[in-house]
Amino acid sequence: MNALEFDRLLWPQTPAKSTANNVFVLETAHGYLRYLDTQKDNRPSLVFLCDPPVQVESYQPLIELLGASYRLIAVELPGYGQSKIKSGKAMAFRDTTEQLAMLLNTLRLKQYVLIAPCVTCFVAVSLVKNHGLKPASLILMQAPSLQEMRAWTDRMDPKKLLRTPYLGQLLMRIKAKGLARFWMHYASGSKQAGSKLAAEVSRGMDAGASYPLASMLQSWYRSGPADGSLEIPTLSIWGRRDRSHAETPCGCTAAHSSDMVHLEMHNTGHFSELEDPEQFVRLVAPFLHRHLSG
């Protein structure tokens, strides 16, 4: 049994039912993809990739701000949150991108922007580069280059405990809730934002959400993610109060697109769109207006 399959068996196997009427689960051969969808088919769409341990419920406030103009979709990565999997292999990078490409093709979105925070930027890049998806543009937040992602991983896991197969999975399972809460506080730009996000993550984990971070660090660190070098309109946003990325140069996001605009949010940390949704919407509105019609 490899470490990814071992990890899968440590977590609840079936997705918990959501009380929200705009949260859905798509069963596939690989598992269950859980996503939020406001289902306004005639409007341009904004597709958010959840950065674990964030779950789709945290995107509900953005519906109030953007739902009148756009169809909003947020997706939990395979193996994380309530997107449960049937095989550990489904957490590997290539399998992750294949599953998400299938979901987006199933939704038959006509015009959309793909919005990816942190490590999910590599998923967004792969969806465009390797799976033929054609978003009108990208919005990348706290998005490192491959070199900077590996440097970040070395800083966050200096003793390589989480990157040790089996040991990392066990440690993460035992410490998951505490580490998730710590992470939301540590990486957020304010105590208030960190407390709010930590409470949301805790509720999700109490309901059986998965956070197999060790498997991501082990498998994605070795192979899969790559810089994009895309030619697609891209907006890069960096929250300047993110302690976890204090040593990451913001300009490294340019590795993913040759057509990029860079903006900063000085009052937020790692989770800009969730910490200050109102400011985030004001910041991205001109970009969305330029690249989406409707």
Side-chain angles (χ1 to χ4, degrees):
M1 181 188 301
N2 65 34
L4 298 191
E5 180 63 13
F6 173 73
D7 203 2
R8 179 184 75 87
L9 296 175
L10 295 176
W11 301 89
Q13 301 295 298
T14 55
K17 292 183 179 179
S18 174
T19 57
N21 60 9
N22 58 5
V23 175
F24 305 90
V25 174
L26 175 68
E27 184 173 3
T28 73
H30 302 280
Y32 306 86
L33 286 173
R34 184 171 183 260
Y35 63 101
L36 177 153
D37 186 359
T38 58
Q39 293 189 311
K40 295 174 180 176
D41 296 326
N42 61 329
R43 297 179 182 177
S45 301
L46 307 180
V47 180
F48 292 86
L49 303 180
C50 292
D51 181 18
V54 172
Q55 293 182 252
V56 297
E57 282 80 6
S58 293
Y59 284 90
Q60 295 285 359
L62 281 168
I63 294 176
E64 298 179 14
L65 299 170
L66 291 166
S69 301
Y70 302 101
R71 176 181 178 179
L72 263 67
I73 297 163
V75 189
E76 294 169 7
L77 301 187
Y80 299 85
Q82 297 289 351
S83 280
K84 304 301 184 178
I85 51 177
K86 299 175 183 178
S87 167
K89 184 174 179 286
M91 286 188 284
F93 182 82
R94 179 176 176 179
D95 294 78
T96 292
T97 58
E98 287 177 352
Q99 292 169 78
L100 293 174
M102 182 202 65
L103 172 64
L104 295 180
N105 285 327
T106 299
L107 294 176
R108 297 183 181 275
L109 305 176
K110 295 181 179 179
Q111 191 181 37
Y112 64 98
V113 171
L114 194 52
I115 306 176
C118 196
V119 71
T120 69
C121 74
F122 297 101
V123 176
V125 163
S126 181
L127 289 172
V128 175
K129 195 170 185 176
N130 302 319
H131 296 279
L133 271 67
K134 299 185 182 300
S137 58
L138 300 176
I139 298 177
L140 307 178
M141 295 93 73
Q142 311 298 105
S145 63
L146 182 59
Q147 178 181 343
E148 292 299 335
M149 183 196 79
R150 288 174 171 164
W152 178 92
T153 303
D154 290 339
R155 291 194 299 272
M156 295 300 107
D157 185 29
K159 296 182 179 180
K160 299 185 179 181
L161 294 177
L162 292 181
R163 284 175 284 171
T164 302
Y166 303 101
L167 173 63
Q169 278 81 5
L170 275 175
L171 287 174
M172 195 65 214
R173 184 64 183 97
I174 294 167
K175 302 283 189 179
K177 187 175 179 180
L179 285 174
R181 289 182 58 85
F182 167 80
W183 171 243
M184 307 316 276
H185 283 287
Y186 177 71
S188 294
S190 68
K191 182 177 180 180
Q192 180 180 6
S195 296
K196 175 180 177 293
L197 292 172
E200 291 172 357
V201 165
S202 292
R203 285 194 295 272
M205 299 192 81
D206 287 342
S210 301
Y211 185 31
L213 178 62
S215 288
M216 177 183 283
L217 295 183
Q218 290 171 25
S219 62
W220 290 26
Y221 189 91
R222 290 194 304 268
S223 64
D227 294 333
S229 303
L230 303 174
E231 296 179 359
I232 181 173
T234 302
L235 176 61
S236 168
I237 296 178
W238 278 81
R240 298 307 296 148
R241 301 186 69 180
D242 179 359
R243 284 180 286 181
S244 79
H245 274 299
E247 297 180 38
T248 305
C250 301
C252 71
T253 308
H256 298 302
S257 174
S258 61
D259 183 4
M260 181 171 289
V261 174
H262 176 78
L263 297 174
E264 297 183 356
M265 293 177 65
H266 293 277
N267 65 321
T268 62
H270 196 81
F271 314 96
S272 292
E273 79 280 23
L274 305 178
E275 295 179 49
D276 192 341
E278 291 84 2
Q279 185 188 3
F280 176 81
V281 170
R282 288 195 300 270
L283 205 63
V284 303
F287 182 81
L288 295 177
H289 181 74
R290 280 197 303 273
H291 298 289
L292 288 175
S293 61

